[in-house]
Amino acid sequence: MKRPQGFDRPAQPRQADSGMQARDASAARPTAPAPPVGAAAPDPVGPATAGIERRSSGAAGRADAATRPSAASATALTDAFEPLAADHVPPVAPSASPDREPSRTPVDDTTGPADAGAGTGDGESPPVRSGWAARRSLTKATRNRRRYERAEVRRFTVRTRRRRLAWGVALGVVALLVAVVLIGAYSPVMALRVVRVEGASRVPAADVEAAFSPMLGTPLALIDRGGVQQAMSGFPLIETYQTEAVPPDTLVVRIVERTPVGVIETADGLALVDAAGVVMERPESRPDGQPLITVDGGVASDGFRAVAGVVRSLPAEIRAQVTAASAQTADDVTLQVGDARVVWGSAEQSSLKADVLDGLLRAAPPGSVSLYDVSAPMSPVTM
């Protein structure tokens, strides 16, 4: 660029001095007082615009200095600059008066850091949420957190819950069974109404049923052994017995009667006794099929027990032929079969001796021989 005539470097300090004088003149201008409350808004061109005017004047002065000749007077630089148009000056809020509090913008207290940090993505500030929206968002987040925690608890306690469920089901079944048993056993539905006797031959079954009449109406579960034993104690011909409760109202009594082994002479006459020496009855004469037992010491001796064991081991067809039995000791049992005598010996191996005697009786009937010796069953002797 061609330097204009009359423009030299010494003019620059003069311009700088004139700019400083313009700034001092602008700073020396009195500021307008603040308008009272209710007054019209002041002119937007004020102290805030003075700086803008100074900056504009400085830029315009430098541009004019570059184009105007150096002969321009210094006083022209200190003239007042034209202010900018009102549409180019931003409005300035009026200064707060001492008797008026500054205005405050209401702030939503419910807006948290998360809302403040959120943006639109275009550099714009995020919208402020209302209190209701913030509470709804907080409630939803709390509900989701609790749902997640419950899901985690269920996931980590599945085995415990299954084990507790199994135990609960088992205990419930046991409790139900116990309740059913207790209710059924002790209710009137399970009371005794029928007594059925099985195995009675010498003992009248009606008498046994009548012995249980005091127990009628008692629940089957409450019928004890002592009561049954008391009812059966009046029947000496019963050797053993067994009871069975058959729901809902029946009691079955299975009895085993005593088996007589023979007739023994006592001070009171003949007595039909069993293997234990219990007197079953007192006949006037020896019954058919019952041998007359002769022993020393009565039913309490070893000889009687040996004779009773031998008689009970005999088959029915041989036993019907025995008319007498005697023993001095437990090792010299002797039987009388018709007109022949049978040397038995001790009660040991009675089953084998009975089989051997049966074979001998078939081979040699009692009328043909007078003695059968089976005391040594492997070497029997007949005479």
Side-chain angles (χ1 to χ4, degrees):
M1 180 182 294
K2 184 178 182 181
R3 184 181 303 270
Q5 297 181 358
F7 185 86
D8 51 0
R9 295 186 180 275
Q12 293 181 358
R14 184 182 300 271
Q15 292 177 0
D17 295 340
S18 62
M20 293 177 61
Q21 292 176 4
R23 286 195 296 272
D24 294 340
S26 299
R29 293 178 185 177
T31 58
V37 179
D43 187 5
V45 180
T49 60
I52 300 176
E53 293 178 357
R54 288 194 297 269
R55 289 192 296 271
S56 300
S57 62
R62 287 192 296 270
D64 293 340
T67 57
R68 286 183 299 190
S70 59
S73 62
T75 58
L77 297 175
T78 60
D79 292 341
F81 293 93
E82 291 295 331
L84 297 175
D87 56 350
H88 295 286
V89 179
V92 180
S95 60
S97 60
D99 56 349
R100 184 178 181 182
E101 295 182 358
S103 61
R104 294 186 177 90
T105 302
V107 180
D108 189 3
D109 297 337
T110 60
T111 304
D115 296 333
T120 60
D122 297 335
E124 300 178 359
S125 60
V128 180
R129 292 187 178 181
S130 63
W132 180 82
R135 286 193 296 271
R136 184 177 65 177
S137 177
L138 179 61
T139 302
K140 182 177 180 181
T142 303
R143 184 168 57 251
N144 292 338
R145 187 188 72 252
R146 290 178 179 175
R147 186 182 298 112
Y148 174 76
E149 291 175 354
R150 288 194 297 267
E152 289 298 306
V153 170
R154 287 194 298 268
R155 185 167 67 90
F156 283 101
T157 60
V158 60
R159 292 186 178 179
T160 303
R161 288 186 285 108
R162 289 178 181 176
R163 185 164 53 251
R164 289 178 180 176
L165 178 61
W167 277 105
V169 172
L171 293 178
V173 171
V174 172
L176 180 61
L177 291 178
V178 171
V180 170
V181 170
L182 293 178
I183 294 174
Y186 295 97
S187 64
V189 179
M190 301 290 289
L192 176 62
R193 294 183 179 86
V194 179
V195 177
R196 187 169 71 242
V197 180
E198 297 179 357
S201 177
R202 295 175 179 272
V203 180
D207 295 346
V208 177
E209 294 176 2
F212 285 89
S213 57
M215 299 183 185
L216 295 178
T218 305
L220 296 177
L222 298 180
I223 298 177
D224 57 348
R225 183 179 299 178
V228 175
Q229 186 175 2
Q230 183 178 1
M232 300 297 292
S233 62
F235 304 94
L237 295 181
I238 296 177
E239 183 176 4
T240 59
Y241 63 89
Q242 181 181 6
T243 59
E244 179 184 0
V246 179
D249 57 356
T250 304
L251 181 66
V252 179
V253 182
R254 298 183 178 90
I255 62 176
V256 176
E257 296 180 343
R258 295 184 181 274
T259 303
V261 294
V263 178
I264 189 171
E265 293 182 357
T266 63
D268 298 332
L270 297 178
L272 184 66
V273 297
D274 67 343
V278 177
V279 178
M280 299 175 59
E281 61 177 292
R282 293 186 176 275
E284 296 181 357
S285 61
R286 183 179 68 84
D288 294 338
Q290 301 298 331
L292 180 61
I293 299 175
T294 304
V295 293
D296 295 338
V299 294
S301 63
D302 295 337
F304 176 79
R305 285 192 291 270
V307 170
V310 170
V311 173
R312 293 190 65 174
S313 64
L314 294 175
E317 58 274 10
I318 298 177
R319 182 179 176 181
Q321 301 177 29
V322 177
T323 58
S326 61
Q328 299 298 323
T329 63
D331 297 329
D332 60 349
V333 178
T334 301
L335 304 177
Q336 186 71 32
V337 180
D339 296 335
R341 190 167 63 94
V342 179
V343 179
W344 196 272
S346 65
E348 297 178 359
Q349 297 181 337
S350 292
S351 298
L352 179 59
K353 293 177 180 180
D355 294 338
V356 172
L357 178 59
D358 185 38
L360 294 176
L361 291 175
R362 293 177 183 277
S368 60
V369 295
S370 59
L371 178 65
Y372 300 95
D373 189 351
V374 293
S375 57
M378 304 305 296
S379 302
V381 176
T382 58
M383 296 177 63

